Amino acid sequence: MSSNSIAFSERYIARGKARIYARDYAGVGPAFVLMHGFPDNLHIWDDLIPYLVASGRRVVAFDFLGFGSSDKPADAAYSFQQQLADLEAIVEGLGLGKIVPVAHDSSGMATLNYALTHPDGVDSAIMLNSAYSEDSTVLWPEMITLFATGSMQALAVAIAQNADQFGWLLTWQQHKFREALPDPQKPHFDTFLGPLIRDNFIIQPALAPHSCSWRRNSSMNTPETQNI
């Protein structure tokens, strides 16, 4: 069952001059607030949402600024601090009160920093395939390493601004992701996850230019939010 077959309210939450896109599934609180990583969007949760909703809990999934159906303002300062503020806007705009933030991948920063900033506003926190600070034992995907390494900034920007080069890099990384999967999971990757990642960069306005800004402001080597 897909989350698209379950009733939800579409909401656009004001965030300065921009808007954040959210899907709100009715239920009791504290709400699960599902956050995506890089380079995906709220649809990364489509397979899980039906089970959470079936339990009777309220579920909210949203796209961070620059991703999915949220606005992609060219002059925005994309960073982990910005993503924390996006989460705060969702909680306030939907009147969620105490929440269970659920992180995947790079949204671990927003999850833990929200818990640190709003300790009374968090019932519990869940982090999946995520990290909070640099760890030499973690092997990041190659494309993520390229975009998160300060010394490779010029190369990353040049690749992101060249459609052919960036397309090659994205296709290569998708193949690497697929190679690591068990065979039974590969068809689902081909029909769901692969296109989800690819569409973030192909459908205009695309993610690629914004991902460079996000990378410069949110390098894994110097995460802004460690200062909170």
Side-chain angles (χ1 to χ4, degrees):
M1 180 185 297
S2 168
S3 64
N4 292 323
S5 63
I6 300 174
F8 61 85
S9 298
E10 284 191 309
R11 299 289 302 274
Y12 283 92
I13 305 301
R15 175 80 163 82
K17 296 180 180 179
R19 301 179 305 163
I20 303 171
Y21 175 76
R23 292 185 172 188
D24 189 356
Y25 300 81
V28 299
F32 290 112
V33 180
L34 310 180
M35 290 171 285
H36 63 82
F38 176 90
D40 43 272
N41 56 45
L42 63 77
H43 291 292
I44 197 72
W45 300 107
D46 281 359
D47 290 341
L48 177 64
I49 287 174
Y51 296 96
L52 298 179
V53 173
S55 73
R57 293 286 289 275
R58 186 177 183 182
V59 178
V60 173
F62 72 94
D63 290 324
F64 286 111
L65 284 180
F67 293 80
S69 296
S70 288
D71 289 347
K72 302 173 178 65
D75 59 348
Y78 295 100
S79 67
F80 291 127
Q81 186 67 38
Q82 161 257 314
Q83 291 191 337
L84 170 61
D86 288 355
L87 174 56
E88 291 173 331
I90 288 291
V91 174
E92 180 179 354
L94 297 179
L96 298 180
K98 185 172 288 190
I99 65 168
V100 178
V102 183
H104 168 251
D105 191 54
S106 58
S107 58
M109 294 284 191
T111 293
L112 290 184
N113 286 315
Y114 187 87
L116 291 171
T117 308
H118 306 279
D120 295 333
V122 173
D123 179 78
S124 58
I126 301 172
M127 294 179 63
L128 305 172
N129 189 35
S130 191
Y132 183 64
S133 63
E134 185 178 11
D135 185 343
S136 60
T137 66
V138 175
L139 296 177
W140 301 99
E142 293 84 352
M143 189 176 79
I144 303 302
T145 300
L146 171 64
F147 278 79
T149 303
S151 62
M152 303 180 76
Q153 174 179 333
L155 175 61
V157 171
I159 290 175
Q161 292 177 343
N162 184 298
D164 290 337
Q165 291 180 344
F166 193 80
W168 177 89
L169 175 62
L170 182 61
T171 300
W172 182 87
Q173 187 66 77
Q174 284 186 253
H175 286 314
K176 295 294 287 185
F177 285 151
R178 191 181 187 278
E179 285 177 2
L181 294 174
D183 286 342
Q185 295 182 14
K186 289 180 180 178
H188 189 55
F189 180 90
D190 293 339
T191 59
F192 171 66
L193 187 58
L196 185 156
I197 295 173
R198 183 186 64 243
D199 288 350
N200 261 322
F201 296 98
I202 293 177
I203 297 177
Q204 298 297 320
L207 172 63
H210 306 288
S211 66
C212 292
S213 170
W214 185 83
R215 189 212 62 78
R216 291 195 298 271
N217 290 320
S218 304
S219 169
M220 286 187 293
N221 297 324
T222 55
E224 290 179 20
T225 45
Q226 289 188 356
N227 295 326
I228 293 179

